[in-house]
Amino acid sequence: MSPTSAGEVVLEIENGSVGIAGRPILRHIDLRIHAGEFVALMGANGSGKSTLVRAMTGLRRPSGGQVRIFGDDLADFRDWHRIGFVPQRATAAGGVPVSVWEMVASGRLTRRRWLRPLLRNDRQAINDALEVVGLRDRARDGITTLSGGQQQRVLIARALAGEPELFFLDEPTAGVDLPNQRALADALTVLKERRATVVLVAHELGPMAPLVDRAIVMRDGRIAYDGGPLVDHEVHGPLFAPHLHDPTPRSRDHIPHVASPLDTAAEPEGAN
């Protein structure tokens, strides 16, 4: 399958919905993401943004609507090497004593058969990924010797090593100090320069704000805004915050207020 061209639709959702334990979490989602876009998916905690990413990547099965990736229905999609996913950080190694290089090398499994020896192009991709995230000099160190922010950069390098065309990053700066946030922003700058398509889930953008081409703001399980970049205080102001109900917003009044039973009910665990 040939690589996507700039501007081509790489992901599309039509009237998508997701329910968890019988409760609606996402409703009436209509969305297209084009090749080369850097999209920030934002919203308050519990707004549904992480659930939306899981639905996009097949980790959460939609209960309604249609999801297409690179033109294929999600249920039929098999080219997972074209997708890179960086989950919310816990511990990169999960308690397993591996080196940074070994962790990043595991990202090549989408490109080669299990137990096949690494080839020259595999090693080149691994080293390039480490270079992009600024950890080439830590390649032989154990994962557990790295700070939390450095471990997050290793997870990005692992995804990058698979040479995907579409990246999803779920809250990569959560709990990460400012120097490592800047290092993450530098790594994502390289991806943007390479015209990768990036979907970044973020509560706040911080140093990544200049990279964003398009902002999508979730509120109560629906898309409340889809347009040009927003600054953090706009996303968390009265227009989108679920606990602030201003029926006459003074700006961007073309965006409808979204009301739902979730205004007064907490979402189940995992519905962020």
Side-chain angles (χ1 to χ4, degrees):
M1 186 174 294
S2 60
T4 51
S5 303
E8 182 179 342
V9 175
V10 298
L11 188 142
E12 183 175 14
I13 302 177
E14 291 184 357
N15 197 29
S17 62
V18 172
I20 298 177
R23 174 176 290 178
I25 302 301
L26 301 180
R27 292 149 298 154
H28 308 301
I29 301 296
D30 290 295
L31 175 64
R32 286 184 174 185
I33 294 175
H34 298 83
E37 282 190 303
F38 194 112
V39 179
L41 181 57
M42 305 182 73
N45 290 334
S47 62
K49 55 187 185 294
S50 290
T51 301
L52 178 55
V53 165
R54 294 184 187 115
M56 291 175 175
T57 56
L59 296 175
R60 173 73 66 180
R61 184 180 295 276
S63 54
Q66 198 167 29
V67 179
R68 286 185 289 271
I69 303 179
F70 297 108
D72 292 336
D73 187 87
L74 180 61
D76 300 324
F77 186 71
R78 297 292 180 269
D79 296 323
W80 291 107
H81 62 275
R82 304 178 76 183
I83 306 294
F85 180 64
V86 180
Q88 292 185 22
R89 179 178 62 86
T91 300
V96 179
V98 297
S99 70
V100 170
W101 198 91
E102 289 169 330
M103 175 61 68
V104 176
S106 69
R108 291 299 293 177
L109 292 176
T110 60
R111 290 281 183 177
R112 63 189 183 90
R113 293 180 181 176
W114 181 250
L115 297 180
R116 193 192 75 176
L118 290 170
L119 303 178
R120 176 182 293 181
N121 63 315
D122 295 318
R123 295 179 180 278
Q124 182 176 344
I126 294 164
N127 291 331
D128 177 69
L130 286 166
E131 191 72 40
V132 167
V133 301
L135 291 174
R136 183 76 177 268
D137 60 334
R138 303 295 301 272
R140 299 302 172 185
D141 293 349
I143 284 285
T144 56
T145 67
L146 272 57
S147 69
Q150 289 170 328
Q151 288 188 27
Q152 185 64 63
R153 286 153 60 190
V154 171
L155 293 178
I156 291 177
R158 182 178 65 179
L160 181 60
E163 300 179 292
E165 299 168 52
L166 174 59
F167 286 86
F168 293 93
L169 300 100
D170 194 358
E171 300 274 12
T173 60
V176 174
D177 60 22
L178 186 57
N180 274 296
Q181 287 185 34
R182 289 172 175 154
L184 287 169
D186 289 342
L188 295 182
T189 297
V190 174
L191 298 187
K192 185 177 177 73
E193 291 171 348
R194 294 179 179 181
R195 302 188 181 279
T197 308
V198 178
V199 178
L200 169 70
V201 180
H203 187 69
E204 294 184 347
L205 293 172
M208 299 184 187
L211 301 174
V212 175
D213 302 313
R214 172 183 172 195
I216 296 173
V217 182
M218 297 295 295
R219 185 185 185 281
D220 301 329
R222 298 188 184 182
I223 295 175
Y225 174 85
D226 184 351
L230 297 173
V231 295
D232 290 337
H233 74 81
E234 289 181 292
V235 175
H236 302 295
L239 190 59
F240 302 116
H243 61 286
L244 297 172
H245 302 288
D246 180 2
T248 56
R250 289 180 293 275
S251 63
R252 305 188 193 273
D253 55 6
H254 61 289
I255 305 168
H257 171 76
V258 180
S260 79
L262 298 185
D263 280 332
T264 55
E267 289 190 352
E269 184 178 356
N272 293 332

